[in-house]
Amino acid sequence: MDKKRHIAIFTTASLPWMTGTAVNPLFRAAYLSKDGERKVTLVIPWLSLKDQELVYPNNIRFSSPAEQEGYVRRWLEERTKFKSDFSIRFYPGKFSRDKRSILAVGDISEIIPDEDSDVAILEEPEHLTWYHHGKRWKTKFNLVIGIVHTNYLEYVRREKNGRIQAFLLKYMNTWVVSIYCHKVIRLSAATQDYPNSIICNVHGVNPKFLEIGKIKLEQQQNGNLAFTKGAYYIGKMVWSKGYKELLKLLHDHQKELAGLEVDLYGSGEDSDQVQEAAKKLEMAVRVHPGCDHADPLFHDYKVFLNPSTTDVVCTTTAEALAMGKIVVCANHPSNDFFKQFPNCRTYDDSSDFVKVTSKALAEEPVQLTDAQRHELSWEAATERFLRAAELDQALTKNLSRSPSKNFMSTSLNLRKNVEDLSAQAHHFVSGFEASRKIFGAIPGSLQPDEVQRKELGLVTPAGS
């Protein structure tokens, strides 16, 4: 009998979309399966061609899930330098233009057979369960762990009628996460608080950034000038990703920061507006298209300026620290994890930003120790996750389960074994297409359409 724990990692995005919920769960799957002690399956969304065109960059398209899986595995192996022993499965997804995100279609818990349904990791549990209408996750799996990636409330507050929307979303998130998750891990205190949740950064850095940092460390130890460029920022070029805050800081302190040159790298919906705002400054702020942060173009920059407060744990900040750079960032809960590193310099207000930035540009970065480098790695992140998740706890099934039927066979069943009446009401309401639309579900997302069934090899339910 196979006594290994079976871990299924469900996430809301996939490469080649370079977003945090595509990259971080992929590395998590690789490192959880690396020692061979666990059976791991990564479950990612499959988009039909019309949605791929809206989401995937550089005209990258896939005609089949197998083709996309090959792309994902090649990308991962190039960065980890080892072959990963985990499975990849796809669930049907649709891209929501208004939410700028992928939403699941149908009951995606059925992707994992009942005999393998031991532990489920829901990367962005609120996102994955807003419109879930099938089998209860806690019934399907022995242990359900939610990892909260995104500060949805902060994004919503910036929209029209944002305060009201954030109020409603807060209670919806609390509702679905408490219904579907046994345990919740928040990457930082910048996320919405949940009952019985813990704060732990269970993300690491792409190994190639640590390799770049090693080269820079050797240059420093040999007495060479490792960093010959000044300050920069990189991120998706939308106002909410820190550009608004950074350009305001530069605008308000142009005299104090006279002589400062800043390069901004990014692509996004607000690129034109960011360029216009940069041109109005009386200092050298250059705007460039987005580029891979590991590109040699960035290796020689000394100071990474990141005033963003919408991130939960900023990936680019971790990458900059791993490369040996000084990071200037806001004194904000999203940056608490980074404060342990000597090259992380935080500021409290705009005048403090000027002092911290000027000092950072005048100094050389502190050389990271082996222990500090390890703390940024995925090996350390995996150790933190295993401690936080407590996977070694004895778990027993609450209910006996019959083997799964074809995909979606139970998607409209009302479960008799529910924890409370509110959970039962949630299943009832979300089981009907009209009700789901009212709450923002994509029309036609109750079940996969015929195109996605064919692409994924799913069985068409009888009577449809």
Side-chain angles (χ1 to χ4, degrees), residues 224-290:
N224 299 321
L225 190 61
F227 302 97
T228 57
K229 297 180 181 178
Y232 78 109
Y233 177 58
I234 181 172
K236 185 177 180 181
M237 204 162 278
V238 293
W239 286 119
S240 61
K241 281 292 187 180
Y243 289 95
K244 182 177 182 179
E245 291 85 351
L246 179 56
L247 288 170
K248 186 177 190 309
L249 286 166
L250 297 177
H251 174 271
D252 293 347
H253 298 281
Q254 294 182 80
K255 292 182 179 179
E256 298 99 312
L257 294 171
L260 173 65
E261 298 184 6
V262 181
D263 289 310
L264 306 179
Y265 294 87
S267 302
E269 295 90 324
D270 298 327
S271 294
D272 292 341
Q273 294 180 45
V274 170
Q275 289 193 41
E276 286 302 313
K279 288 177 184 176
K280 295 177 182 178
L281 297 175
E282 297 175 3
M283 58 192 305
V285 178
R286 297 175 287 267
V287 180
H288 310 276

Side-chain angles (χ1 to χ4, degrees), residues 94 96 98-99 103 130-133 172 428-447:
K94 290 183 181 292
S96 169
D98 61 324
K99 294 179 178 62
L103 297 176
W130 281 328
Y131 311 112
H132 181 70
H133 61 274
M172 172 62 81
F428 182 81
V429 171
S430 61
F432 295 92
E433 180 74 343
S435 299
R436 296 172 76 252
K437 289 180 187 177
I438 292 173
F439 289 100
I442 298 174
S445 63
L446 188 65
Q447 295 189 19

